[in-house]
Amino acid sequence: MTVTAIVGAQWGDEGKGRIVDYLAQRAEMVIRFQGGDNAGHTVVNEHGTFRLHLVPSGIFNPTTRCIIGAGAVVNPDTLLEEMAELARAGISLDNLWLSERAQVVMPYHRLLDGLEESARGGQQIGTTKRGIGPAYADKAARTGIRLGDLTRPYYLAGRLAQALPQKNLTLQHFGQPPLVLDDIVAQATAWSETLGPRIVDTLPMVRDAVRSGQKVLLEGQLGVMRDLDWGTYPYVTSSNPIAGGAGAGAGLPPSVISDVVGVVKADCTAVGAGPFPTELTDEVGAQLRQVGQEYGATTGRPRRCGWLDGVALPYATWLNGFTALAITKLDVLDELAELKICTGYRLDGQVVQRVPDTPDYERCEPIYETWAGWQTSTRAARSWRDLPWQAQAYLRRIEALAGVPIRYISVGPEREQLVVI
Ligand code: GDP
Ligand code: IMO
Ligand code: MG
């Protein structure tokens, strides 16, 4: 288990932060490989409760080097706020490093995310409005600003002078006042003064860690069903949270990734628009939301809740190459008399066992099998045999559907509320 990717197997918020925090106790390096402050990775440990947006979830182990990789998009303002919050809680940031190749989420990206969402009218994606899509769009258009540019004022001024007129035209189109180049340069200079010493070429660090056999964790943001290529496009994020994105985003060859842990919520939730076939809009869905405290860690929006999707799960296994699963929030199901798992979809009168493209996916109706609930608390379980037989049967079914063994079962938000198999 030298290089392990920890990725979301559903629609996001599976509990990746919680699993990374646990594993980072014995890891030398954690790299966030994509996404930005759209992430809300909740960590509950002896230092308190934290909702991390950009800082890798390994930050609580003072000996773990934490890197924000080239594949990420970084809003320096939110990063600085998050760092200040961690520092106030007594968490050392000495080991936090930022790739000079990571993109900067500029003030205009955030503005445009909100304006573009409004312009979508009834077809909103439900983005987090953190500027993620516009920042990745500029990256692909090669007009992006990178963190390293902040440390080279002359170069930065030239890049901004090229990018800003286009942005101002777009802002003008939305009836917004233009941004002033000098103000943005001044802002960028302030960022470089505070973040500059952490902005480095992270590749030699990563290469040396891997070559010397150190334990490296690759922390994904979001889940496969919001992947830019394989998720429910256009209701997706603008990067690749699947394990295939990890090598490119972290700066290592895919062949060195020895383990891929798929994080799976024992039920399923989604924030934002788009197809989610097992969504429950009844009182069971409301109960899952209430018991699981399912509110977006970044936007506070109520999460859409539903049953585990046993068709989307093997899709996630294939796309990521899971070598193990981490099941989270088993305890959220404790009170239910019965549970359902989706094992197929009905699409235009046919039964299908694949994840179709979005326009078809929107018409899919779930086909369920029913499982007995256990109606007893699992929160104190620390070994497999502590779990009620109904919970064991439910978990075995998830393993069979995914075709991957379960290695971790989380029965509460706290670090030690975990069964390790
Ligand atoms: P992430 O984005 O994948 O890191 O997940 P989030 O942090 O957005 O959402 C997971 C939520 O579930 C957080 O509020 C966690 O504290 C909480 N959580 C994680 N694991 C468990 C668990 O096993 N049981 C319960 N009850 N809550 C959990
Ligand atoms: P973590 O890392 C849940 C969703 C948004 C929207 C879509 C695109 O905590 O799992 P974006 O702002 O990325 O352009 O929004 O993706 N989304 C998330 N949903 N958890 C997240 O992060 C999310 N990050 C983005 O709701 O549907
Ligand atoms: Mg989250």
Side-chain angles (χ1 to χ4, degrees):
M1 199 175 124
T2 307
V3 181
T4 302
I6 291 125
V7 291
Q10 294 160 317
W11 274 255
D13 299 327
E14 296 91 349
K16 300 173 288 293
R18 181 248 183 286
I19 297 294
V20 172
D21 170 63
Y22 176 83
L23 295 177
Q25 294 176 97
R26 283 170 296 278
E28 275 96 4
M29 183 175 279
V30 177
I31 311 170
R32 251 294 293 279
F33 62 85
Q34 46 73 230
D37 62 1
N38 48 349
H41 291 185
T42 313
V43 171
V44 185
N45 59 26
E46 77 265 27
H47 306 285
T49 298
F50 302 86
R51 279 179 192 83
L52 299 174
H53 299 291
L54 277 162
V55 174
S57 303
I59 198 71
F60 302 97
N61 180 353
T63 61
T64 303
R65 273 185 297 173
C66 287
I67 293 178
I68 300 183
V73 291
V74 178
N75 179 332
D77 279 336
T78 40
L79 177 61
L80 287 164
E81 268 170 42
E82 192 170 322
M83 287 167 60
E85 193 188 321
L86 288 163
R88 278 195 298 277
I91 309 303
S92 167
L93 295 160
D94 292 351
N95 264 331
L96 178 64
W97 302 99
L98 318 175
S99 167
E100 62 183 355
R101 289 174 163 84
Q103 298 283 319
V104 181
V105 177
M106 298 298 287
Y108 45 79
H109 290 137
R110 223 167 142 141
L111 280 172
L112 289 172
D113 199 354
L115 294 165
E116 286 167 6
E117 267 288 84
S118 312
R120 289 187 186 112
Q123 288 172 339
Q124 296 196 346
I125 294 167
T127 75
T128 58
K129 298 194 181 160
R130 297 298 183 119
I132 306 301
Y136 276 113
D138 277 1
K139 172 181 176 172
R142 293 153 293 182
T143 52
I145 305 295
R146 306 208 290 183
L147 281 176
D149 302 346
L150 301 181
T151 64
R152 302 174 187 107
Y154 182 75
Y155 182 74
L156 174 72
R159 294 287 295 164
L160 275 171
Q162 198 184 30
L164 201 59
Q166 281 303 321
K167 296 299 156 195
N168 278 339
L169 275 180
T170 315
L171 287 170
Q172 195 182 12
H173 161 80
F174 284 113
Q176 299 296 310
L179 298 174
V180 179
L181 179 64
D182 287 349
D183 293 350
I184 299 196
V185 171
Q187 169 76 85
T189 308
W191 288 333
S192 86
E193 277 161 14
T194 40
L195 292 175
R198 298 177 194 277
I199 300 174
V200 295
D201 180 3
T202 52
L203 192 126
M205 279 187 205
V206 174
R207 191 181 48 208
D208 292 350
V210 173
R211 281 190 175 155
S212 60
Q214 292 186 2
K215 283 205 170 69
V216 177
L217 304 178
L218 308 175
E219 179 175 3
Q221 190 264 332
L222 254 177
V224 58
M225 301 309 284
R226 299 287 193 206
D227 182 272
L228 180 57
D229 293 293
W230 296 101
T232 56
Y233 191 91
Y235 306 102
V236 292
T237 197
S238 300
S239 62
N240 293 107
I242 57 173
L252 44 78
S255 55
V256 303
I257 303 176
S258 48
D259 282 75
V260 181
V261 176
V263 187
V264 182
K265 227 175 232 189
D267 55 349
C268 195
T269 66
V271 192
F276 174 25
T278 61
E279 180 174 15
L280 293 168
T281 50
D282 59 6
E283 66 280 6
V284 180
Q287 185 182 351
L288 292 173
R289 181 174 311 110
Q290 197 265 325
V291 178
Q293 282 302 295
E294 296 291 5
Y295 297 91
T298 298
T299 59
R301 289 178 286 178
R303 291 179 182 148
R304 301 159 69 191
C305 297
W307 298 120
L308 188 119
D309 190 326
V311 183
L313 189 55
Y315 180 72
T317 301
W318 169 253
L319 285 167
N320 287 285
F322 297 146
T323 56
L325 298 184
I327 309 294
T328 61
K329 302 195 104 161
L330 186 71
D331 57 301
V332 169
L333 306 180
D334 283 350
E335 290 166 27
L336 297 172
E338 63 176 34
L339 312 168
K340 292 189 197 292
I341 298 181
C342 168
T343 55
Y345 304 130
R346 206 172 301 284
L347 174 62
D348 301 333
Q350 308 278 316
V351 174
V352 297
Q353 244 122 12
R354 63 189 184 89
V355 174
D357 197 7
T358 306
D360 292 337
Y361 206 24
E362 277 168 338
R363 297 199 312 284
C364 281
E365 303 272 344
I367 300 168
Y368 289 119
E369 59 185 28
T370 302
W371 289 78
W374 42 95
Q375 296 189 289
T376 177
S377 175
T378 55
R379 287 195 146 214
R382 295 293 177 271
S383 72
W384 177 258
R385 62 175 187 280
D386 294 340
L387 294 169
W389 67 265
Q390 297 94 331
Q392 292 180 351
Y394 181 71
L395 292 165
R396 289 289 181 230
R397 182 64 176 137
I398 296 175
E399 270 185 336
L401 284 164
V404 182
I406 293 173
R407 196 182 293 157
Y408 309 98
I409 303 160
S410 171
V411 291
E414 290 175 32
R415 189 187 267 175
E416 302 309 327
Q417 287 180 299
L418 197 70
V419 171
V420 181
I421 296 172

